[in-house]
């Protein structure tokens, strides 16, 4: 009885579709035996039940199967035991058919051993000898199985990939990468001229930064584009000193209050989320770095009571931290021990990361207030936009009852940081900071371009679960600056066509 009430509770307490799941950094959920079981049941009932009969429970079933990759459902044993009777009846028929087949094959082999030997010699080496009815069923499509690639199998239920060296944080201008071309050297010199001028032309700096900022000048460029640093060269040093002192004044004033009762829930959630931030990158697992992130997020939450801390904001610190750390580290930063830096340098990185993140969140704070209305509006706008630019994809989602909120909520809440490697996020933010309202308005068109990029894979999936698995585990681990450049170009085209003509995507 207790187990039954427990199951009913969790079904009633389903999370908001698209909300952040407790497993962080898992590129793909591990294989779950219940997925195979459900797949068999769905296939067996496909002809008997119409598609719309699963509307009320399809997403709940999917969420229950994938909500936590490390937990096993309470009703797993019961599910397997309930299905055992059907498999027992199947096994009796299978045993009889298999026995008859074995006897027939044996008699043929005894009668014609030479022909059987030659037939075995001609059998393809990559196909199996039939030993059971399950393998017999597979052998009917042996020709297709021989030519089917492993990638196609992984698309239906992908395995967690091993992160290759190409997934490092560093981009094409980092140390250890190919030498810069003449064009890259010219762009770098252009940036240095702009940044060293008495009053930096911010409009020109945005224009130069749109196609990407060279690594060597990215820290100071980001400080300027975010509005943290003034354009006047003479005021920058004093501004940095004042803002850094102001931040550590907040630390002295507010950080001890984390142990007070009315702030304990906020600090506890931050303390839980920090280790989950980019768990595959050693840099972010260092205790010193996690302490820095805790201070940044807690002070921001205290200073913004309208929203407070919301899961997902912890991800938004990482690009700023990596960029400002690269100002003092020449090699790849993902394995760098920050304990080798002086206390003053660490304080500067921490304060600059806080202020730049605050400037970013000021433009999208309605994403994180109660009920997150900013995200709701953006997801609805994405649905309307996709319905106009690719009606086939839109209708495909409607056919299999996939709601945009079920996958695009995370795209808006985390600014695609969960869908892209960190190096790609940094390159993407070069352009976001160059665009007016880049993190709010332009991000919508980037999400639309990102979705249409996978239209072939989307149209190949022909069930609800397959579509959700694909959209939550898109294979971008090998992406780099080239793919991001193409994505941004398509997003700019969509913005040019639709931003100033909203009736183009309103029905």
């Amino acid at each position: 009885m207790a187990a039954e009430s427990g199951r009913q509770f969790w079904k009633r307490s389903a999370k908001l579709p698209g909300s952040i799941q407790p497993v962080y950094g898992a590129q793909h959920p591990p294989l779950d035996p219940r997925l195979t079981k459900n797949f068999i049941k769905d296939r067996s009932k496909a002809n008997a039940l119409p598609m719309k009969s699963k509307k009320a429970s399809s997403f709940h079933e999917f969420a229950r199967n994938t909500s936590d990759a490390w937990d096993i459902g309470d009703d797993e044993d019961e599910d397997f035991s309930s299905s055992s009777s059907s498999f027992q009846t199947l096994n009796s028929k299978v045993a009889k058919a298999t026995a008859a087949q074995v006897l027939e094959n044996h008699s043929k082999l005894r009668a014609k051993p030479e022909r059987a030997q030659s037939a075995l010699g001609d059998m393809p080496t990559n196909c199996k000898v039939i030993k059971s009815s399950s393998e017999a069923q597979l052998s009917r499509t042996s020709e297709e199985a021989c030519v089917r690639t492993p990638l196609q199998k992984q698309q239906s239920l992908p395995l967690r990939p091993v992160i290759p060296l190409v997934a490092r944080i560093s981009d094409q201008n980092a140390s250890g990468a190919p030498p810069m071309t003449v064009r890259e050297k010219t762009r770098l010199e252009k940036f240095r001229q702009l940044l060293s001028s008495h009053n930096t032309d911010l409009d020109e700096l945005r224009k130069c930064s749109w196609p990407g900022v060279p690594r060597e000048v990215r820290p100071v460029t980001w400080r300027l584009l975010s509005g943290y640093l003034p354009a006047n060269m003479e005021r920058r040093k004093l501004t940095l000193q004042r803002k850094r002192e102001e931040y550590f004044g907040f630390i002295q004033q507010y950080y001890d209050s984390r142990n007070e009762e009315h702030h304990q829930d906020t600090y506890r959630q931050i303390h839980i989320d920090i280790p989950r931030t980019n768990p595959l990158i050693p840099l972010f697992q260092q205790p010193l770095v996690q302490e820095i992130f805790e201070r940044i997020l807690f002070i921001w939450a205290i200073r913004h009571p309208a929203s407070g801390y919301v899961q997902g904001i912890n991800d938004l610190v990482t690009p700023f931290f990596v960029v400002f750390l690269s100002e003092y580290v020449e090699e790849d930063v993902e394995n760098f021990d920050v304990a080798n830096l002086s206390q003053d340098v660490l304080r500067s990185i921490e304060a600059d990361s806080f202020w730049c993140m605050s400037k970013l969140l000021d433009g999208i704070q309605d994403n994180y207030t109660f009920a997150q209305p900013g995200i709701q509006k953006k997801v609805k706008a994405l649905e309307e936009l996709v319905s106009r630019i690719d009606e086939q994809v839109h209708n495909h989602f409607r056919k299999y009852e996939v709601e945009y909120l079920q996958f695009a909520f995370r795209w808006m809440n985390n600014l695609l940081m969960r869908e892209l490697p960190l190096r790609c996020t940094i390159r993407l933010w070069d352009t976001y900071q160059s665009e007016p309202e880049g993190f709010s308005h332009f991000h919508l068109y980037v999400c639309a371009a990102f979705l249409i990029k996978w239209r072939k894979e989307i149209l190949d999936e022909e069930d609800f679960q397959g579509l959700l698995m694909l959209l939550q585990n898109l294979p971008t681990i090998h992406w780099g600056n080239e793919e991001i450049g193409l994505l941004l170009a398509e997003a700019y085209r969509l913005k040019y066509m639709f931003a100033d003509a909203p009736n183009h995507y309103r029905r």
Side-chain angles (χ1 to χ4, degrees):
M1 186 66 182
E4 178 66 22
S5 61
R7 288 194 294 274
Q8 293 299 325
F9 171 78
W10 289 113
K11 290 179 181 178
R12 291 195 305 270
S13 305
K15 292 186 176 181
L16 177 68
S19 60
I20 303 172
Q21 301 299 326
V23 177
Y24 286 72
Q27 292 293 325
H28 305 288
L31 292 175
D32 192 329
R34 288 169 292 173
L35 298 181
T36 306
K37 173 176 67 62
N38 292 339
F39 176 74
I40 294 174
K41 290 181 179 180
D42 292 343
R43 289 293 298 271
S44 63
K45 298 179 181 180
N47 296 328
L49 296 176
M51 182 64 66
K52 291 188 177 180
S53 64
K54 297 188 291 184
K55 182 174 183 178
S57 60
S58 58
F59 180 71
H60 287 189
E61 291 174 358
F62 174 79
R64 187 173 69 249
N65 289 337
T66 59
S67 61
D68 193 334
W70 313 124
D71 291 342
I72 299 177
D74 297 332
D75 55 352
E76 183 182 31
D77 296 335
E78 183 179 331
D79 289 341
F80 278 111
S81 62
S82 64
S83 61
S84 60
S85 59
S86 61
F87 281 108
Q88 288 176 357
T89 57
L90 175 65
N91 288 339
S92 61
K93 298 179 181 179
V94 168
K96 293 179 181 180
T98 304
Q101 185 68 31
V102 169
L103 292 174
E104 182 180 356
N105 290 343
H106 184 66
S107 61
K108 290 181 180 180
L109 288 175
R110 287 177 62 87
K112 299 180 180 179
E114 295 84 8
R115 183 177 301 175
Q117 186 66 30
S118 62
L120 289 173
D122 295 337
M123 183 177 294
T125 57
N126 59 343
C127 295
K128 298 180 180 179
V129 179
I130 298 175
K131 296 181 180 179
S132 68
S133 63
S134 60
E135 294 189 33
Q137 185 176 1
L138 291 175
S139 66
R140 296 169 188 170
T141 57
S142 59
E143 294 180 359
E144 296 177 1
C146 292
V147 299
R148 186 177 299 150
T149 62
L151 179 61
Q152 291 173 327
K153 294 181 180 179
Q154 290 180 2
Q155 287 175 351
S156 60
L157 193 61
L159 299 173
R160 183 183 300 140
V162 177
I163 305 302
L165 291 178
V166 74
R168 297 164 74 92
I169 294 173
S170 58
D171 61 14
Q172 63 185 9
N173 295 327
S175 59
M180 286 193 295
T181 63
V182 175
R183 180 177 177 274
E184 290 170 345
K185 290 180 180 179
T186 303
R187 290 189 71 244
L188 178 59
E189 186 61 30
K190 173 69 172 176
F191 271 94
R192 284 176 172 160
Q193 290 177 2
L194 282 170
L195 297 173
S196 61
S197 60
H198 182 69
N199 283 298
T200 300
D201 186 345
L202 293 181
D203 290 335
E204 186 65 23
L205 184 62
R206 291 188 184 95
K207 182 179 178 181
C208 293
S209 300
W210 206 100
V213 181
R215 182 178 188 268
E216 293 82 355
V217 295
R218 184 175 276 140
V220 64
T221 302
W222 277 27
R223 292 189 188 103
L224 286 165
L225 294 179
S226 64
Y228 173 47
L229 272 188
N232 185 277
M233 173 71 77
E234 296 177 353
R235 295 174 51 204
R236 290 178 191 170
K237 185 176 181 180
L238 290 176
T239 300
L240 281 177
Q241 182 180 352
R242 177 175 57 83
K243 297 296 285 185
R244 288 167 180 172
E245 290 176 356
E246 184 180 356
Y247 168 73
F248 284 99
F250 295 152
I251 296 291
Q252 294 178 355
Q253 183 177 358
Y254 298 119
Y255 194 58
D256 288 339
S257 68
R258 67 189 185 279
N259 297 319
E260 297 177 2
E261 184 177 357
H262 58 288
H263 289 154
Q264 281 184 355
D265 290 342
T266 297
Y267 180 73
R268 185 184 299 112
Q269 188 61 56
I270 293 172
H271 188 73
I272 291 172
D273 288 348
I274 292 301
R276 299 167 171 173
T277 304
N278 291 299
L280 300 177
I281 299 177
L283 171 69
F284 300 112
Q285 302 310 306
Q286 299 177 34
L288 192 57
V289 174
Q290 294 183 358
E291 291 173 9
I292 290 173
F293 278 38
E294 284 184 4
R295 288 194 292 268
I296 290 174
L297 294 171
F298 183 77
I299 296 301
W300 189 88
I302 293 299
R303 285 174 48 82
H304 296 81
S307 62
Y309 173 74
V310 178
Q311 284 184 314
I313 295 179
N314 56 308
D315 286 331
L316 306 184
V317 187
T318 55
F320 292 114
F321 184 82
V322 167
V323 167
F324 297 142
L325 177 62
S326 68
E327 195 171 15
Y328 305 94
V329 179
E330 293 184 358
E331 64 266 24
D332 293 319
V333 300
E334 64 179 12
N335 294 304
F336 181 78
D337 186 0
V338 297
N340 295 327
L341 296 175
S342 67
Q343 188 66 24
D344 290 340
V345 168
L346 287 175
R347 286 168 64 92
S348 300
I349 294 172
E350 180 177 347
D352 293 354
S353 300
F354 169 80
W355 287 115
C356 288
M357 186 197 74
S358 298
K359 294 286 187 181
L360 160 61
L361 289 171
D362 286 346
I364 58 172
Q365 191 171 355
D366 62 340
N367 285 5
Y368 305 105
T369 54
F370 178 73
Q372 301 181 272
I375 292 180
Q376 304 281 349
K377 293 176 183 177
K378 291 181 178 69
V379 171
K380 183 62 178 176
L382 177 65
E383 180 177 358
E384 293 178 350
L385 182 59
V386 173
S387 69
R388 303 305 295 170
I389 63 179
D390 198 325
E391 191 173 5
Q392 187 177 5
V393 169
H394 179 72
N395 290 336
H396 193 71
F397 287 151
R398 295 184 64 183
K399 178 180 179 181
Y400 295 104
E401 301 170 355
V402 174
E403 300 291 338
Y404 284 76
L405 194 67
Q406 292 164 357
F407 63 88
F409 181 94
R410 189 171 74 178
W411 295 9
M412 304 299 178
N413 189 68
N414 300 81
L415 299 177
L416 288 175
M417 287 194 64
R418 297 291 175 86
E419 327 312 319
L420 299 171
L422 184 54
R423 66 185 182 280
C424 293
T425 298
I426 292 174
R427 167 63 191 91
L428 188 66
W429 285 21
D430 287 344
T431 301
Y432 279 4
Q433 297 189 85
S434 307
E435 276 279 330
E437 300 180 328
F439 290 98
S440 55
H441 185 64
F442 187 63
H443 180 67
L444 167 67
Y445 298 96
V446 172
C447 288
F450 186 68
L451 181 63
I452 301 306
K453 168 73 173 64
W454 308 101
R455 75 180 310 274
K456 181 181 182 300
E457 291 82 356
I458 289 170
L459 296 176
D460 286 343
E461 294 290 344
E462 296 184 349
D463 63 85
F464 173 87
Q465 183 165 290
L467 283 167
L468 262 293
M469 292 288 287
L470 170 68
L471 292 168
Q472 293 183 356
N473 300 278
L474 292 167
T476 60
I477 191 63
H478 294 284
W479 274 31
N481 287 358
E482 182 178 355
E483 289 80 3
I484 295 298
L486 293 173
L487 179 69
L488 289 167
E490 177 63 15
Y492 184 81
R493 185 185 71 84
L494 293 176
K495 179 192 172 188
Y496 184 81
M497 292 175 60
F498 292 98
D500 297 327
N503 289 331
H504 284 185
Y505 64 86
R506 285 181 182 168
R507 291 189 178 277

